[in-house]
Amino acid sequence: MTVGVESSPGQVAAAFRSWSDAFGKAMQDGDGAAVLGLLDADCWWRDLLALSWDLGTYHGTERISGLLDDHLKRAGVTDLTVVTDFGPRFVAEDDGGGTIEGFFTFQTPQAWCRGVARIRQVDGVWRAWTVMTGMEDLKGHERALGARRPTGPRHEVGATTQRNWKDQREASAAYRDRDPEVVVLGAGQGGLALAANLRLMGVDALVLEKSGRIGDGWRKRYHSLVLHDPVWADHLPYLPFPQSWPIYSAKDKIADWFEFYAQAMELNVWCSADMTAAAYDEASRRWTLTVQTPQGERTITTRDVVLATGAAGEPNVPDFPGRDRFEGTVYHSSRHGSGGDWSGRKAVVVGACNSGHDIAQDLYEAGADVTLVQRSSTHIISQVHGIPAIFGANFTEAGPPTECSDLLASAFPWPLVLEAAKQGVKDTAEKDAALLSSLEAVGFKLNDGPDGTGLMGFALAKGGGYYIDVGASGLIATGRIALAQGSGLAEFTESGIRLADGRELDADLVVLATGYSNMRETARRLFGSEVADKLPLVLGVGADGEIGGLYRRTGQDGFWYMGGPLAWVRIYSKHLALQITADQAGISPS
Ligand SMILES: Cc1cc2nc3c(=O)[nH]c(=O)nc-3n(C[C@H](O)[C@H](O)[C@H](O)COP(=O)(O)OP(=O)(O)OC[C@H]3O[C@@H](n4cnc5c(N)ncnc54)[C@H](O)[C@@H]3O)c2cc1C
């Protein structure tokens, strides 16, 4: 039966069910050859723990055959069933063809799982173009959601203060007579989303936050900051924003929401907590951590440590010569609070990516005389055209429920995301043509990202390197923010900076918007080189099609990285929590 845009939902569902029935049988039989027969030769398979207990992307018959040979029989897949609360649905493509995308559930002896397939009709036969198999819950450690929610304290005769919820929460968070099973460093979105998942899986996690308040990671950023991503991409797991939430969140609003989230999800967080020493004992497989808190020093022993101190890494502050003789103020962009203090004064912002542009705009709006230094080139998109192109139709008001959008997103492997991004970059550049040419007219240099993949390519490679225009480009194009293009900061002078080509710029303030170094350097500073040398770099899409370092084993037993944009942490915090929970319960395969 040919299925197309004109087909009824029943016809679409029947075609998907027919493919899924054959797929489910082949999976249950452990028959790799039969599974391969249901896949396109160009198929992409992403396994998120369900078969391999790892995150991995497999492209083409040979690699998928390897996945199935290694894991299919042992995985023990049963009960593959199509889910119909959303989809299957036909998604038309520009060439007149299309795919049916649909969801299914299945189980293995250890886990409840979900999957997504996108199937295409080639010569009358339905074959899968993408398959995702993902673990949802470990059996015996299912997340305490819905029917599994806790009873909560009850007002029975004889109830004591122990039954008071507040007393219980305070005792739980104090860790007076026990150690946590997991310590998470950092109560940003990554740390909080992970802690929420661990708690729901029954794992006792303590989050240590260096700052005074949850949400300070956003709160302490520059005054004018507003999130780039729209609300539909930004929900934290298990607690969606209210329907009145604005499309773009101001930084203080999201910071306060994080604080509320930690309370509502009953997360144990110590603020103003600074881990000053860490040692791993191979024999007992335990970390011993020394933590300075406002109540004094604590020594904590724990099985797993998660570094969630910011996936973008440590502020990169190059040691430019002459800094001591400069009479003005210098700081890294991460320390910029508000432009207000610099009204009527000269500011130079070194670095022309997101922070550089936003800070230059903030300083300009505060009445400073601002120059932006651009050494090489920058990828620019307008927020209005570029962001919808990146998120597509799934993260919009009319899009699928977040849970389905997340499954669809995780069923689209990163190499395909990057490939698809190229067209989005071209389309956005056409829409932004006037903006881009006005920038080029003043000598601003543009690029279209690594291999033409734009913002997505930069975000995956290093978490930055682009600017989403919310006004600074217009200020540069009209000369209201001056541009010093083509040369980088070489040294400080008494009254400002000298660029490598000899140009001198006077400044009362120099902001170094010079980016961040890899998160592995944070691990090195906190855990020492012996640990850091075993760890992968964070970010970058590796040969296995996955993001470097995040959400999976790192090479150091009991050490994990967590972090990233809200959409990533919402999706992958569950997978990291599943791996930690399985390790803690002793059910991970060796
Ligand atoms: C202008 C702008 C707009 C942005 N818009 C978006 C957006 O729309 N959506 C989005 O997802 N991202 C956006 N980002 C990027 C966003 O900042 C990151 O995605 C996010 O901060 C990453 O979260 P994280 O949990 O990995 O790290 P962070 O948010 O950096 O959180 C790390 C936490 O760890 C704490 N910490 C650091 N060191 C230690 C330590 N040694 N011990 C204990 N705690 C420590 C920090 O205080 C912080 O609370 C934007 C960034 C900028 C600059």
Side-chain angles (χ1 to χ4, degrees):
M1 178 181 59
T2 302
V3 173
V5 262
E6 70 290 347
S7 302
S8 68
Q11 289 171 315
V12 171
F16 189 75
R17 186 175 302 279
S18 161
W19 178 88
S20 304
D21 286 349
F23 181 68
K25 179 171 183 326
M27 293 284 280
Q28 179 149 344
D29 292 347
D31 184 347
V35 174
L36 283 175
L38 293 159
L39 312 180
D40 196 287
D42 184 39
C43 182
W44 293 84
W45 190 313
R46 188 153 191 232
D47 185 52
L48 301 176
L49 309 174
L51 307 182
S52 62
W53 290 80
D54 193 5
L55 313 185
T57 292
Y58 305 82
H59 181 211
T61 308
E62 197 180 321
R63 290 222 52 219
I64 295 175
S65 188
L67 165 75
L68 298 174
D69 287 350
D70 290 347
H71 301 290
L72 181 60
K73 281 207 170 69
R74 191 202 42 77
V77 172
T78 58
D79 301 300
L80 194 137
T81 308
V82 174
V83 178
T84 53
D85 7 340
F86 182 87
R89 64 175 185 174
F90 187 81
V91 181
E93 281 166 13
D94 292 344
D95 62 4
T99 56
I100 298 176
E101 55 187 18
F103 303 96
F104 52 85
T105 56
F106 60 100
Q107 56 173 304
T108 67
Q110 296 85 15
W112 306 106
C113 303
R114 285 192 75 160
V116 179
R118 293 186 179 89
I119 61 172
R120 281 176 174 168
Q121 207 166 20
V122 182
D123 299 330
V125 182
W126 287 101
R127 293 214 168 86
W129 169 51
T130 69
V131 174
M132 191 279 284
T133 42
M135 194 183 284
E136 285 284 295
D137 275 297
L138 283 164
K139 290 182 178 174
H141 304 269
E142 289 87 349
R143 288 163 293 169
L145 296 169
R148 294 181 186 277
R149 72 177 80 229
T151 314
R154 283 178 295 166
H155 300 284
E156 292 168 338
V157 175
T160 65
T161 49
Q162 274 78 46
R163 287 215 177 86
N164 175 278
W165 173 82
K166 192 161 175 282
D167 293 345
Q168 286 178 10
R169 286 293 306 126
E170 280 168 10
S172 169
Y175 289 93
R176 280 193 202 90
D177 49 8
R178 72 187 204 287
D179 280 313
E181 292 165 315
V182 179
V183 168
V184 181
L185 293 177
Q189 56 212 36
L192 295 175
L194 176 69
N197 272 286
L198 287 169
R199 179 173 169 82
L200 293 174
M201 291 178 199
V203 176
D204 187 358
L206 168 63
V207 185
L208 302 178
E209 169 55 50
K210 200 172 66 175
S211 265
R213 277 175 77 186
I214 295 168
D216 274 353
W218 285 106
R219 202 176 280 113
K220 287 188 175 169
R221 284 178 172 164
Y222 45 92
H223 213 53
S224 54
L225 193 152
V226 172
L227 266 69
H228 290 134
D229 299 345
V231 63
W232 310 285
D234 294 345
H235 302 290
L236 284 169
Y238 312 112
L239 187 60
F241 297 115
Q243 286 195 337
S244 57
W245 199 267
I247 295 176
Y248 296 106
S249 299
K251 59 152 186 133
D252 295 284
K253 188 168 172 67
I254 199 100
D256 289 352
W257 180 256
F258 281 12
E259 226 165 19
F260 168 70
Y261 182 83
Q263 284 169 14
M265 298 305 292
E266 303 191 3
L267 308 181
N268 290 340
V269 184
W270 291 358
C271 288
S272 306
D274 194 13
M275 191 197 79
T276 50
Y280 188 66
D281 180 40
E282 301 278 350
S284 64
R285 303 180 86 177
R286 287 277 180 285
W287 293 96
T288 301
L289 312 176
T290 309
V291 183
Q292 306 300 329
T293 77
Q295 291 75 38
E297 185 175 290
R298 286 283 298 263
T299 302
I300 296 174
T301 308
T302 193
R303 164 78 179 76
D304 289 283
V305 170
V306 183
L307 190 66
T309 51
E314 300 272 288
N316 173 36
V317 191
D319 193 12
F320 295 109
R323 191 165 160 163
D324 292 346
R325 69 170 167 257
F326 176 52
E327 288 166 357
T329 302
V330 192
Y331 53 68
H332 185 260
S333 55
S334 55
R335 288 190 42 226
H336 180 71
S338 163
D341 299 342
W342 301 99
S343 173
R345 301 171 79 188
K346 278 185 185 299
V348 172
V349 179
V350 178
C353 293
N354 221 83
S355 303
H357 275 83
D358 278 353
I359 292 169
Q361 182 175 348
D362 185 46
L363 288 162
Y364 169 80
E365 283 168 358
D369 170 358
V370 188
T371 302
L372 183 75
V373 177
Q374 185 194 36
R375 188 175 52 183
S376 53
S377 62
T378 312
H379 178 62
I380 306 264
I381 55 170
S382 66
Q383 182 168 43
V384 62
H385 296 134
I387 293 297
I390 288 164
F391 283 99
N394 285 342
F395 293 99
T396 58
E397 193 70 44
T402 309
E403 193 189 359
C404 297
S405 300
D406 286 352
L407 281 167
L408 290 169
S410 60
F412 207 66
W414 295 115
L416 279 182
V417 169
L418 288 172
E419 208 41 51
K422 293 179 185 173
Q423 190 56 46
V425 170
K426 287 187 190 137
D427 295 345
T428 303
E430 269 177 34
K431 291 179 185 155
D432 285 342
L435 171 81
L436 300 179
S437 53
S438 70
L439 282 168
E440 284 179 316
V442 292
F444 192 94
K445 293 281 184 284
L446 300 167
N447 68 54
D448 58 6
D451 200 20
T453 57
L455 182 152
M456 190 50 84
F458 274 131
L460 282 164
K462 55 180 183 168
Y466 49 81
Y467 170 53
I468 302 169
D469 180 39
V470 288
S473 291
L475 296 173
I476 294 165
T478 51
R480 282 173 285 174
I481 292 177
L483 176 68
Q485 209 289 328
S487 190
L489 194 167
E491 61 176 337
F492 284 90
T493 62
E494 274 178 21
S495 59
I497 61 169
R498 184 174 296 115
L499 301 181
D501 64 5
R503 271 179 288 175
E504 288 197 16
L505 301 173
D506 282 347
D508 299 301
L509 168 69
V510 175
V511 181
L512 299 173
T514 40
Y516 293 81
S517 57
N518 199 274
M519 200 179 184
R520 187 166 71 180
E521 295 316 303
T522 315
R524 191 177 303 285
R525 183 170 56 74
L526 293 172
F527 294 87
S529 283
E530 203 184 319
V531 170
D533 288 344
K534 294 184 203 160
L535 304 174
L537 289 167
V538 173
L539 296 177
V541 176
D544 63 357
E546 296 298 325
I547 300 179
L550 293 172
Y551 324 125
R552 61 199 294 208
R553 294 184 191 285
T554 59
Q556 164 67 55
D557 191 30
F559 181 96
W560 313 81
Y561 289 119
M562 180 66 208
L566 285 152
W568 298 6
V569 305
R570 182 181 62 251
I571 296 174
Y572 299 107
S573 53
K574 178 182 67 193
H575 301 102
L576 177 50
L578 284 165
Q579 293 168 83
I580 294 174
T581 304
D583 277 10
Q584 296 255 349
I587 51 178
S588 302
S590 54

